[in-house]
Amino acid sequence: MEIEINDILTSAIYRQEPFMDQPFDFSEGDDTELYSSTGQLDSLSLLTIISDVEKQLFKVLGYKIKLASEQDLSFQNSPFNTYGKMLRFINDKIQISLKNIAS
């Protein structure tokens, strides 16, 4: 499942590339800055990526997962600051959702 999530997130990010000033640079791996004061994404791009990932997760899992709240969208302590943080955050949201469904 983790590989699928990685692919879903990476694809969603690359689908935003035509709207960006320059190509995404993933040379820092999990530490790649995404949504921060020095990151590569603005708030609109981030929301579009989140929405795209939510749609893809629905296709894969068959149920909706809400990935972001208003507090998650501030730069400070955002789970979307780096690629690795965002990936872990999505995986955590999926695990929580799976537990809630099983209950």
Side-chain angles (χ1 to χ4, degrees):
M1 175 67 88
E2 191 168 320
I3 291 172
E4 284 180 327
I5 305 307
N6 184 56
D7 291 345
I8 288 170
L9 178 56
T10 303
S11 295
I13 291 171
Y14 279 128
R15 277 191 285 278
Q16 279 301 297
E17 204 169 54
F19 308 105
M20 306 303 292
D21 292 335
Q22 51 190 315
F24 281 100
D25 177 8
F26 282 102
S27 61
E28 297 294 318
D30 281 355
D31 293 328
T32 298
E33 293 282 329
L34 292 180
Y35 185 66
S36 64
S37 59
T38 59
Q40 301 176 64
L41 299 176
D42 60 21
S43 58
L44 181 58
S45 295
L46 176 63
L47 290 173
T48 304
I49 289 167
I50 290 169
S51 176
D52 190 357
V53 170
E54 287 175 343
K55 288 177 190 173
Q56 296 306 314
L57 289 175
F58 180 74
K59 287 180 183 178
V60 171
L61 301 174
Y63 56 90
K64 293 182 180 182
I65 297 177
K66 183 179 178 186
L67 293 179
S69 66
E70 190 175 319
Q71 70 187 38
D72 297 326
L73 299 177
S74 82
F75 285 145
Q76 189 175 3
N77 298 320
S78 172
F80 309 118
N81 286 353
T82 66
Y83 182 81
K85 280 185 177 181
M86 190 170 186
L87 189 59
R88 285 187 297 277
F89 181 77
I90 293 169
N91 279 310
D92 289 348
K93 287 284 191 174
I94 291 170
Q95 295 307 314
I96 290 168
S97 292
L98 290 174
K99 287 179 186 177
N100 289 338
I101 289 172
S103 299

